[in-house]
Amino acid sequence: MTSKQTLRDDLTAALRARDQVRTGTLRMTIAAITNAEVAGKEHKDLTEADVQQVITKEAKKRREAAEAYDAAGRDELAAAERAELAVLEEYLPKQLTDDELQTIVRDAIAQTGADSMAGMGQVMKVVQPQTAGRADGGKVAALVKQALSG
C-alpha cells in the first residue's frame, strides 16, 4: 500500500474516531500531495519518494512554525503545531541520531578528502543522499561546517 493510500485510510479512521488534530493534519497533508501532483502544466502521479518529500516539507513547516510561536510567547499555538508534527512524524522514516549523522559526515569527509570549507559542497553531495528524509538539512549542513572548520 502506498503512503498516499495509507494517509487516506488513516484519515477515514481519524474521522470516525473524531480526532480533530489528526483529521486536520491528514487533510492538509493530502491536500499538499494533491497540489504537488497538479503543479506544473500537466498532472503527474507522485512516486513514493515524492510523497515522502511532501510529508517532510509539511513536517518542516510545523517545526518552524512551532519555533516561531515559541519565540513570540504563543505557547498554545506552538503546542498545536507540535501536535500536528507528531502526527506527520508517524509517516516519515526514522530520523538519524546525532551520532549516526556525525559518522556519515566523517565518512563523507574521508571519502572526499575535504579539509576546509572549500570542500563543503563535495561533502554535502555525498551526505545528502544518505540523509534525505531522515535528517534536517540545516542540521546536516551545520555538522559538516563544524567538522570542516574544527
Side-chain angles (χ1 to χ4, degrees):
M1 184 183 313
T2 65
S3 294
K4 198 162 93 172
Q5 188 57 48
T6 302
L7 288 167
R8 287 188 179 128
D9 293 347
D10 290 353
L11 174 60
T12 302
L15 284 165
R16 288 186 179 135
R18 298 182 192 272
D19 184 342
Q20 291 180 340
V21 172
R22 190 172 202 77
T23 300
T25 304
L26 293 176
R27 277 187 173 149
M28 282 189 280
T29 305
I30 292 168
I33 291 168
T34 303
N35 287 341
E37 288 176 334
V38 298
K41 293 186 178 182
E42 56 185 68
H43 181 276
K44 64 178 181 205
D45 287 326
L46 297 182
T47 64
E48 193 66 26
D50 293 336
V51 171
Q52 286 298 311
Q53 282 183 329
V54 171
I55 296 171
T56 300
K57 194 180 295 185
E58 291 297 309
K60 182 179 179 184
K61 287 180 190 176
R62 301 312 186 288
R63 196 174 298 112
E64 290 172 351
E67 290 170 7
Y69 286 136
D70 280 338
R74 303 292 306 267
D75 296 333
E76 68 287 347
L77 294 174
E81 293 293 334
R82 285 199 178 85
E84 290 181 4
L85 177 61
V87 172
L88 291 172
E89 285 177 341
E90 294 174 25
Y91 300 94
L92 293 173
K94 183 179 161 287
Q95 297 293 296
L96 294 169
T97 65
D98 288 342
D99 291 339
E100 291 170 327
L101 278 175
Q102 287 176 347
T103 301
I104 291 171
V105 169
R106 271 195 306 270
D107 291 347
I109 290 172
Q111 181 182 339
T112 60
D115 58 356
S116 68
M117 288 302 292
M120 183 169 175
Q122 294 172 325
V123 175
M124 289 300 288
K125 282 182 187 175
V126 173
V127 170
Q128 283 178 328
Q130 298 175 46
T131 61
R134 300 186 315 150
D136 178 53
K139 185 176 182 180
V140 172
L143 282 172
V144 171
K145 280 183 187 176
Q146 180 183 5
L148 289 175
S149 63

